[in-house]
Amino acid sequence: MDLLLIGPPGVGKGTQAARLRQALGVPHLSTGDLLRRHVTEGTRLGAAAAAHMQRGDLVPDELVTEMALGQILGPSCAAGVVLDGFPRTPAQAEALDTALAAHGRRLTAVLHLNAPARTLLRRLTGRRTCGGCGDSYHLDTRKPRTPGRCDSCGQRLVQRADDTAETARTRLAVHARQTQPLLARYHQAGVLHEVDGCGDVGAITRRLLAAVAPYSAGDQDASRSTGWPTSPGRSSLS
């Protein structure tokens, strides 16, 4: 089962990808984590990527694609993978489709996890970080015992520059522009599932699992016990 999880900043992709990994028994591949690992380990691809990053440039499609495909087509992902952050561009999507097809595979489903802009802005701008130990809090979901102070070390909590309202709006707008061609591509291919990213973490996970249940082994039994659909196809879940 090869899954792609797409969603805007603040929608909780990382949390949900980890839960999908646990529920489905396939690895979670985060492009950001993969990139950092290559840079830290000083690989050929990592060194090339670091040169672009140090100049403030985007890492080219070719480098990102080579890193990602090396992992996706390797033994650790032979039974499937939950992709998070790759592909991001039409060129990366084309390369992924071609590489998977050459190995008798294809994207099983593309899960577009989304939420209203006001919800995403609240999630992004409500985050606070300890200036001392780096612990994270949220004004809605993880409030410190003492307002403005870290529970662990007592240092002042700060709002990161990329969590301000202005920056958050820019990040959301950039994401919308970048992902629209991908969403159109996967909609046309009939593998796109729109999933509501609002509500508690467990409810969102259940919606995601319901979207992929038709593609899972033993989905008929799953349908009888959970009410999940049993025929694959594009769906809009809430």
Side-chain angles (χ1 to χ4, degrees):
M1 182 177 291
D2 294 313
L3 303 174
L4 170 59
L5 188 58
I6 296 178
V11 81
K13 288 196 311 301
T15 297
Q16 293 301 328
R19 291 170 73 89
L20 288 177
R21 176 191 65 201
Q22 183 176 16
L24 300 173
V26 296
H28 164 216
L29 177 61
S30 165
T31 309
D33 291 345
L34 183 63
L35 181 61
R36 284 187 287 273
R37 192 187 80 195
H38 273 272
V39 172
T40 299
E41 294 178 356
T43 67
R44 173 183 61 83
L45 294 174
H52 291 278
M53 296 163 64
Q54 289 166 1
R55 295 194 297 267
D57 299 334
L58 292 175
V59 179
D61 278 349
E62 295 79 5
L63 286 177
V64 175
T65 299
E66 188 174 351
M67 285 184 192
L69 291 183
Q71 189 75 26
I72 294 166
L73 301 178
S76 65
C77 297
V81 65
V82 178
L83 297 173
D84 171 12
F86 177 87
R88 286 186 184 272
T89 68
Q92 291 178 8
E94 183 67 31
L96 175 63
D97 287 349
T98 300
L100 288 177
H103 289 76
R105 293 163 63 179
R106 65 179 180 86
L107 276 178
T108 309
V110 176
L111 307 172
H112 182 213
L113 187 62
N114 208 353
R118 64 181 180 276
T119 300
L120 297 171
L121 283 171
R122 178 63 185 176
R123 291 179 184 177
L124 292 170
T125 59
R127 296 194 294 202
R128 297 293 185 271
T129 304
C130 175
C133 67
D135 204 359
S136 297
Y137 297 84
H138 196 281
L139 300 183
D140 290 333
T141 58
R142 195 196 173 203
K143 297 179 181 180
R145 289 191 294 268
T146 301
R149 293 290 173 179
C150 176
D151 293 349
S152 301
C153 69
Q155 292 293 312
R156 188 169 66 90
L157 301 180
V158 298
Q159 184 181 48
R160 298 187 314 181
D162 57 352
D163 287 338
T164 63
E166 181 179 0
T167 302
R169 290 190 182 95
T170 299
R171 292 174 63 196
L172 292 174
V174 169
H175 170 84
R177 288 197 305 270
Q178 288 181 336
T179 57
Q180 192 53 47
L182 293 181
L183 297 178
R185 175 191 185 94
Y186 294 127
H187 173 86
Q188 186 175 12
V191 296
L192 180 67
H193 296 256
E194 296 286 347
V195 182
D196 183 2
C198 295
D200 66 77
V201 171
I204 297 168
T205 304
R206 289 191 292 273
R207 294 174 197 144
L208 290 166
L209 290 173
V212 302
Y215 309 101
S216 302
D219 61 293
Q220 297 293 335
D221 292 336
S223 177
R224 282 193 291 270
S225 62
T226 66
W228 291 346
T230 58
S231 57
R234 191 172 63 87
S235 60
S236 180
L237 305 173
S238 60

